[in-house]
Amino acid sequence: MMDAANKRMLFVSGLDLEVTEETLHAAFIPFGEIIQVTLPPDPSSSNRHRGFGFVEFEDTDDALAAIDNMHDNELFGRTISVRRARPGAINNIGVVFKAESLVSGNKDVEMNNGTEPSGKDNPRVFLEFAVDGRPSGRVVLELREDVVPRTARNFRSLCTGEKGFGYKESRVHRIIPGFMIQAGDFTKGDGTGGKSIYGSKFDDENFSLDHSSPGMLSMANAGKNTNGSQFFITLDKTPWLDGKHVVFGRVVQGMDIVRMIEALGDKNAPLKPKKEITICDSGIVSNN
């Protein structure tokens, strides 16, 4: 059985050669305190790494959150793999190795950080964001139709626009760095509008899922049973929202785009992003 120290060490592979220990640290620090970041050097070059590295967190839950949000995500334009490192892997890297020898065989790296495993048939949708009118990246979200089918169906329909209205061309109107980004007001664009496919508002479905990590997708509201179309994506753990806002999905690809949007926010002026950010396209992810 792994001890706690080993559970905190992650093996990150598929890295672009432009990635440095500093940029790797910046990509993973939102999930918790980091003890060390290591990029083993390429023995055949004095200034290159080998395309993989190690990130050690202080807390096991933070390491799980990093796996949940960064595995199969993009960094510097390349899809990276994030898994638990085998015990002692960082000290046992030879000139020739197989990646499989450096990662843990534990299946729980695929778990959804404190929630139940995602249903394999859950739909995935995408939001394409533009900054000042320029397309800037896609975020893919898994909708937990297995837990909150009514809420998931609302969001999916607003992504496709199948009811004649939806998210396309609407604004990201609120950004609070370290907390969340909020969007979905396609009627007024300032956080006072929006509507659901069921009418102006619909009731809270349930609170089975928690705001357990960055990248959770949750309904914005104006109090109990006031869900419409507005939603937010968390930028950190936000447990004080549990039982008050309905979590209905999570980011499965494009967390780097979410972080890019976060960087355009100002805690002192959350309703005034530094640049105009819109959802320029949205829809269903095919072949899911």
Side-chain angles (χ1 to χ4, degrees), residues 174-182 235 262 265-267 270-271:
R174 187 182 186 205
I175 305 172
I176 305 177
F179 179 21
M180 57 87 154
I181 64 172
Q182 185 172 335
L235 301 170
E262 178 185 18
D266 184 344
K267 283 186 177 181
L271 296 176

Side-chain angles (χ1 to χ4, degrees), residues 215-250:
M216 303 308 291
L217 177 64
S218 185
M219 292 299 296
N221 61 42
K224 184 178 180 180
N225 297 326
T226 58
N227 300 286
S229 58
Q230 291 189 48
F231 65 91
F232 62 91
I233 298 173
T234 61
L235 301 170
D236 202 347
K237 299 176 184 178
T238 55
W240 60 91
L241 299 180
D242 295 345
K244 299 177 182 177
H245 295 263
V246 177
V247 176
F248 63 98
R250 64 184 182 116

Side-chain angles (χ1 to χ4, degrees), residues 71-92:
H71 181 66
D72 281 342
N73 217 317
E74 290 187 2
L75 184 65
F76 276 60
R78 294 187 58 176
T79 300
I80 62 173
S81 173
V82 182
R83 293 173 285 177
R84 280 182 177 164
R86 282 192 182 278
I90 195 170
N91 300 314
N92 292 285

Side-chain angles (χ1 to χ4, degrees), residues 163-209:
K163 303 295 184 180
F165 54 88
Y167 293 134
K168 191 173 180 179
E169 305 302 334
S170 64
R171 299 176 58 242
V172 175
H173 64 269
R174 187 182 186 205
I175 305 172
I176 305 177
F179 179 21
M180 57 87 154
I181 64 172
Q182 185 172 335
D185 179 359
F186 52 80
T187 62
K188 295 185 178 180
D190 60 3
T192 63
K195 61 180 180 178
S196 80
I197 65 171
Y198 310 115
S200 177
K201 306 293 181 184
F202 68 100
D203 288 353
D204 300 321
E205 190 165 6
N206 63 59
F207 300 108
S208 298
L209 302 173

Side-chain angles (χ1 to χ4, degrees), residues 75-224:
L75 184 65
F76 276 60
R78 294 187 58 176
T79 300
I80 62 173
S81 173
V82 182
R83 293 173 285 177
R84 280 182 177 164
R86 282 192 182 278
I90 195 170
N91 300 314
N92 292 285
I93 302 170
V95 174
V96 178
F97 74 99
K98 292 182 179 180
E100 290 78 6
S101 68
L102 301 178
V103 299
S104 167
N106 288 351
K107 294 181 179 180
D108 59 356
V109 299
E110 302 296 335
M111 299 291 280
N112 188 11
N113 189 33
T115 68
E116 292 299 313
S118 301
K120 62 181 180 180
D121 294 326
N122 280 330
R124 292 189 179 192
V125 297
F126 72 88
L127 300 175
E128 191 88 29
F129 291 94
V131 178
D132 285 346
R134 181 178 179 180
S136 300
R138 173 177 291 200
V139 175
V140 176
L141 302 132
E142 178 191 24
L143 304 183
R144 294 300 302 273
E145 199 170 66
D146 58 327
V147 179
V148 277
R150 184 172 169 83
T151 308
R153 191 176 308 118
N154 178 65
F155 191 83
R156 183 176 62 180
S157 297
L158 293 174
C159 284
T160 64
E162 61 196 61
K163 303 295 184 180
F165 54 88
Y167 293 134
K168 191 173 180 179
E169 305 302 334
S170 64
R171 299 176 58 242
V172 175
H173 64 269
R174 187 182 186 205
I175 305 172
I176 305 177
F179 179 21
M180 57 87 154
I181 64 172
Q182 185 172 335
D185 179 359
F186 52 80
T187 62
K188 295 185 178 180
D190 60 3
T192 63
K195 61 180 180 178
S196 80
I197 65 171
Y198 310 115
S200 177
K201 306 293 181 184
F202 68 100
D203 288 353
D204 300 321
E205 190 165 6
N206 63 59
F207 300 108
S208 298
L209 302 173
D210 294 336
H211 301 79
S212 56
S213 70
M216 303 308 291
L217 177 64
S218 185
M219 292 299 296
N221 61 42
K224 184 178 180 180

